[in-house]
Amino acid sequence: MIGDGAVSRRQVLLAGVAAAAGVAGCARLLRGGAGSPTSLAEWLGHPVGASLLIVHADDVGIAQSANAATIGAFERGVIDSASVMVPCPDFRQFTEWARGHRDADVGVHFTLTSQPLERWGPVAGAARVPTLVDSDGMFPARWPAGRQVSLGELEVELRAQIALARNLGLDLTHLDGHQHLVQLRGAGVFGVLLRVARDERLPFRFARAWLPHAAYAEPAIETATVPLERLIAISPGNATDERWTEWYASEIRKIPSGLNEVFVHLGIANDELRAVVPDTAPWGSAWRARDLAAIGSDAFADAVRHAGATRIGWRRVRDYLRWRGTGSKAVFGVDAVPGATMRPLVTPPSLKASMVK
């Protein structure tokens, strides 16, 4: 028995399909058989060469003013996803809003460093992850190249950050790393990210442009996530204050087909944010205020239209990977193996459009 309650017309329709074509045939129809979508764009109902764009906000929870800027951006529809710094004290404030907005697309921004002016420590507790912290039990301000950490302790902390985010009511859509540490700090660290992401059935952010410096990731990123064909992110020296929005607009017009992302840091430049990230620092409070202004501008929206891009969030990527990865074991949302637990079947939007409602 699949579940309690009334049988929907969709279940009746699929049962009829299964009876006519056999369970294996129905699985092929839903899970990658002949004529079914294979790419993310096709799964969403777009041509295989479509350009998809995520406008993604980083560092949620680093300060209350960053939370306010991100919440406002979500509510105005100018960002598609965001990632949270779970160890930061103001992370919990953001979850109060997110619990009432379950459609908000939110992932975990694995945090393993502090700010020089604001310190925070591991969710798992310093005693469980001593190689990840300084002598005061707090995360260091940076990971120097020679820092030795226990991969086992790293995995404990990553899983603890996910668990706390879920316990506070977040429906997680993806994973990434503060300062890209978990993606770009070597094969061992990346292997921990890969294992955690696969166990949690979550995609992680990874740009193809990183592969020359992270060749160890190349065998895995095609199956474990959907890599970003283009990651648009301002770096120090890319643009003057006056040409900030223009820089974003010009880069968006160049996006290729496939999945792309605009990567921003949002904040309201006030004393509270300056106490954490000063105005003069790269990715500081003034930087974050410029990013906030840029994504809400007419020039930014016009560039997206000019590029012919379809805006999506990481939730779509997550659901696509779960659809693609479940395989022939999943029929009507139940694993067809002894002792398996039930899980929801994710139906591609391209198939939903043709279903009887």
Side-chain angles (χ1 to χ4, degrees):
M1 183 175 181
I2 294 176
D4 298 329
V7 177
S8 69
R9 295 182 66 188
R10 175 175 177 271
Q11 289 172 306
V12 172
L13 173 63
L14 291 178
V17 173
V23 168
C26 185
R28 284 195 300 273
L29 173 67
L30 292 173
R31 311 289 336 150
S36 69
T38 55
S39 70
L40 173 62
E42 291 175 290
W43 185 81
L44 291 168
H46 303 296
V48 67
S51 296
L52 308 174
L53 179 65
I54 299 172
V55 181
H56 175 80
D58 220 14
D59 288 2
V60 184
I62 198 170
Q64 292 185 17
S65 53
N67 294 348
T70 304
I71 289 168
F74 266 130
E75 292 179 343
R76 290 184 290 132
V78 296
I79 59 171
D80 306 303
S81 74
S83 54
V84 292
M85 299 176 71
V86 177
C88 297
D90 291 317
F91 156 69
R92 290 175 181 267
Q93 184 207 44
F94 177 79
T95 65
E96 294 172 6
W97 174 84
R99 282 195 296 271
H101 298 79
R102 298 286 292 174
D103 58 334
D105 192 316
V106 179
V108 169
H109 193 51
F110 286 132
T111 302
L112 302 166
T113 56
S114 296
Q115 292 296 119
L117 299 179
E118 181 82 14
R119 305 293 301 283
W120 42 74
V123 172
R128 294 185 65 197
V129 291
T131 67
L132 300 186
V133 299
D134 286 342
S135 58
D136 61 359
M138 298 295 180
F139 286 134
R142 62 188 184 91
W143 265 21
R147 186 179 181 98
Q148 298 295 311
V149 301
S150 161
L151 296 181
E153 291 175 16
L154 175 64
E155 185 165 345
V156 166
E157 177 61 17
L158 299 191
R159 293 187 186 277
Q161 292 185 21
I162 290 173
L164 179 57
R166 285 193 165 135
N167 288 343
L168 292 176
L170 297 186
D171 174 28
L172 299 178
T173 63
H174 67 285
L175 305 171
D176 68 20
H178 187 49
Q179 301 169 347
H180 300 139
L181 289 179
V182 292
Q183 296 105 314
L184 301 179
R185 275 305 178 98
V189 173
F190 178 79
V192 174
L193 168 65
L194 187 62
R195 181 164 55 251
V196 170
R198 284 176 167 165
D199 286 351
E200 300 291 339
R201 300 173 70 224
L202 291 171
F204 54 88
R205 297 175 56 254
F206 198 98
R208 287 196 190 278
W210 297 342
L211 285 174
H213 311 288
Y216 50 79
E218 191 163 14
I221 60 170
E222 301 296 341
T223 55
T225 191
V226 177
L228 299 168
E229 304 301 329
R230 182 86 190 282
L231 176 61
I232 299 171
I234 285 186
S235 296
N238 276 156
T240 63
D241 296 0
E242 296 75 21
R243 301 191 65 182
W244 205 263
T245 299
E246 180 183 339
W247 185 90
Y248 277 120
S250 66
E251 295 301 311
I252 289 169
R253 291 189 181 97
K254 304 172 191 174
I255 62 171
S257 61
L259 185 63
N260 304 275
E261 186 185 77
V262 175
F263 175 58
V264 295
H265 299 75
L266 304 182
I268 299 167
N270 58 21
D271 289 343
E272 186 246 0
L273 186 57
R274 292 185 191 101
V276 181
V277 283
D279 272 343
T280 55
W283 301 283
S285 56
W287 180 303
R288 294 164 192 259
R290 289 193 296 271
D291 270 1
L292 181 61
I295 62 171
S297 68
D298 290 341
F300 191 98
D302 288 344
V304 174
R305 285 191 291 270
H306 181 273
T310 299
R311 296 265 301 272
I312 68 167
W314 279 102
R315 179 175 281 109
R316 290 295 206 183
V317 181
R318 179 198 70 182
D319 291 350
Y320 164 69
L321 288 175
R322 290 178 178 180
W323 170 85
R324 189 177 74 180
T326 303
S328 60
K329 293 179 181 179
V331 180
F332 308 136
V334 182
D335 281 347
V337 293
T341 56
M342 292 174 58
R343 61 186 176 190
L345 177 66
V346 178
T347 306
S350 55
L351 182 59
K352 280 183 180 177
S354 63
M355 281 183 165
V356 176
K357 296 181 179 179

